[in-house]
Amino acid sequence: MQVQYGAVPNPQALGNAIGNAIVGQIQQYGAQFFTADPFAGVNFMLIDQKPDCVECICPCIGEKKNSYQISVSEQTGHLAQQQLGIIKEESECAQRFFCQCWRALDLLFINNQNQIMFKAQRIYKVPSVLCLPCERPEMVVSRDSEVIGYLKQPFMCCGRSECPLPILEEIDICDPSGNTRYFISGEFVQCGCITRICAIPRCTGPCQYIDYDIYNPMKQKVGRIRNIFNGCAQEYCSKADKFLVEFPPQCTSQDKCLILFAAITIDYDNFEYTFCNLP
């Protein structure tokens, strides 16, 4: 009796078939595997607000929805190395017109695959500049409907650093249980802040920067959010601002996400150039 055996498959054809199957799976599910942690290994991050032409031409129409480009950066913040995504604002027209920088809003972090990775929600509360102890502003940050932390603005007039001075902003960065992981403090006595209030161009030297230091619960300075002078055209003809974030050394990816949204909060509270802000 003669036994017939099936044809032995071509190894190259078999390898190509397996490779094509793997590529198909990566294309279908790749975002789940390769975008799970967009902040891994990132030490410096650049936040560059996109200017709005309508606001530049006719600022009296009120606020437009903000949009920010998020990129990996080097230490000086002058060069964006790799874009991680964008942050887009969702808010109501009436809130933007009447409440302006204090408006209720949703901020969506959208990666390069056009997927919503994180969402930050802020409801309208007592404006932080009124220094009232009740109904303090708060932002809830979540991923896939799961809360990863909170940004809280406590009631205080002077900072909690070792040399307490009048402050521009204080933000507590809290985990889902409400425990403070870091806090951010921006002191009023800075060259960049004073020249900005006096409407003096801050295009050279230390006047280019306004710093908001990041502290751990032991009041040790471990990082920084820096507002960078964005050029005369951007600074004086638009509301587009630029920030460089220096993350703490032991910062987790969730902490980095919260610090990122804290920097956006600082932009809304201090750099929107509306009647409710400093000029």
Side-chain angles (χ1 to χ4, degrees), residues 33-184:
F33 298 116
F34 298 105
T35 62
D37 187 0
F39 306 122
V42 177
N43 297 318
F44 297 92
M45 186 174 292
L46 190 66
I47 303 171
D48 198 356
Q49 184 178 358
K50 298 180 180 180
D52 188 279
C53 296
V54 177
E55 283 186 344
C56 298
I57 297 172
C58 186
C60 61
I61 64 172
E63 289 289 323
K64 304 292 288 183
K65 295 179 181 179
N66 287 0
S67 180
Y68 304 85
Q69 179 176 304
I70 310 301
S71 307
V72 179
S73 175
E74 35 74 48
Q75 190 170 359
T76 63
H78 297 303
L79 180 64
Q81 297 177 339
Q82 176 189 356
Q83 182 174 344
L84 298 178
I86 58 174
I87 290 180
K88 289 186 176 181
E89 173 191 340
E90 295 294 335
S91 58
E92 297 181 0
C93 180
Q95 288 266 357
R96 293 196 302 273
F97 187 82
F98 293 105
C99 303
Q100 299 203 3
C101 58
W102 303 319
R103 58 188 179 268
L105 52 83
D106 291 341
L107 296 173
L108 307 177
F109 181 93
I110 303 173
N111 64 10
N112 296 327
Q113 287 76 36
N114 203 32
Q115 293 179 315
I116 298 176
M117 298 291 293
F118 304 98
K119 178 181 178 180
Q121 185 178 32
R122 182 179 75 171
I123 63 173
Y124 179 80
K125 287 192 176 183
V126 174
S128 57
V129 297
L130 296 184
C131 295
L132 297 179
C134 58
E135 288 298 305
R136 302 298 300 161
E138 181 177 306
M139 181 176 284
V140 182
V141 182
S142 60
R143 179 174 186 176
D144 298 329
S145 301
E146 181 180 354
V147 174
I148 64 172
Y150 301 91
L151 304 177
K152 301 180 179 181
Q153 295 176 261
F155 169 67
M156 59 182 59
C157 297
C158 294
R160 288 170 285 180
S161 60
E162 294 181 357
C163 182
L165 294 171
I167 58 171
L168 295 167
E169 186 102 14
E170 283 256 350
I171 299 177
D172 286 343
I173 298 174
C174 305
D175 62 18
S177 301
N179 302 313
T180 301
R181 295 277 299 166
Y182 301 96
F183 69 89
I184 298 170

